Amino acid sequence: MDAFTGATNHGYYGSAKVIAPVGKAELESGLTISHNQHEFLYDDKWNAFEGDRALSLTQLTIPLMLRLPLLKRHFPDAECRLKIGFVGQYNFVNLSGAGTLPDFSIDNFSSGMAMGFSALPWQLKNGAKLGLEMELYRGSRIYTDFYNQADFDMPGSAYGRFGFVFQPAGKFSQSERNLK
């Protein structure tokens, strides 16, 4: 049996993004709000830690992503993009726990690199588009305790997310920009 185990429950997120053309690529930024729950279980009689700690984590995320066109020759209307860039986060953490638990610290700011893919293959009659996106992120440490120390290689923030995209019709939509 491990002295320490941790689990992250599925969460949710929502975002609003702005995309600006930069040559043949695009620059994406905006604001994402995400929330999830974490549970840490301690069963370490040797170090006298026994109990559980629950973290409720809400994050405000500001991405700065470069979006590169993919498969344009084969699927010109699908607007497929490879996304790569930097993510900065402000972390709101609510903690509760029971038992004899190790001391801890929380870093309210975290940051790291992200990579993703988006595609908008469906166009509605009004010109709006629907699509899918996925993103992977690996960043700096948020939570530090006896089992997650600063000199350990692994403990850092990370996410993998999958979502739906709705792009309203309008003068800034990609489809109209392609027509000019």
Side-chain angles (χ1 to χ4, degrees):
M1 177 178 281
D2 293 333
F4 166 81
T5 58
T8 302
N9 296 321
H10 290 92
Y12 58 87
Y13 77 100
S15 64
K17 297 177 182 173
V18 176
I19 298 167
V22 178
K24 292 185 179 186
E26 297 170 327
L27 192 60
E28 174 186 301
S29 190
L31 180 65
T32 300
I33 299 172
S34 59
H35 179 79
N36 55 50
Q37 305 284 332
H38 305 266
E39 184 178 13
F40 299 144
L41 303 173
Y42 301 88
D43 185 14
D44 186 358
K45 293 172 184 38
W46 183 266
N47 290 299
F49 298 131
E50 292 185 78
D52 63 87
R53 178 173 285 146
L55 281 78
S56 176
L57 176 63
T58 301
Q59 296 175 297
L60 297 178
T61 302
I62 298 176
L64 186 56
M65 307 285 279
L66 183 62
R67 295 165 37 109
L68 304 168
L70 288 176
L71 308 171
K72 192 160 184 80
R73 190 175 318 149
H74 302 289
F75 304 102
D77 295 329
E79 295 187 31
C80 298
R81 303 280 190 268
L82 173 67
K83 304 180 343 172
I84 187 164
F86 176 80
V87 172
Q89 297 176 310
Y90 186 77
N91 307 302
F92 298 95
V93 180
N94 187 9
L95 292 146
S96 62
T100 306
L101 306 174
D103 291 336
F104 67 93
S105 66
I106 299 290
D107 191 347
N108 291 104
F109 294 97
S110 55
S111 62
M113 298 301 293
M115 181 179 208
F117 175 80
S118 67
L120 298 168
W122 301 289
Q123 185 163 351
L124 304 177
K125 289 180 183 179
N126 68 358
K129 287 197 159 195
L130 297 174
L132 303 170
E133 75 173 350
M134 68 160 245
E135 190 173 295
L136 302 172
Y137 162 81
R138 179 68 172 155
S140 58
R141 174 184 323 282
I142 297 172
Y143 176 84
T144 303
D145 75 1
F146 182 80
Y147 301 97
N148 297 292
Q149 297 179 22
D151 58 340
F152 294 179
D153 288 334
M154 281 307 281
S157 58
Y159 64 70
R161 52 174 71 141
F162 175 80
F164 299 98
V165 177
F166 172 74
Q167 180 180 329
K171 69 178 186 174
F172 297 109
S173 70
Q174 180 67 31
S175 57
E176 289 190 38
R177 216 173 45 232
N178 287 341
L179 295 175
K180 295 180 181 179

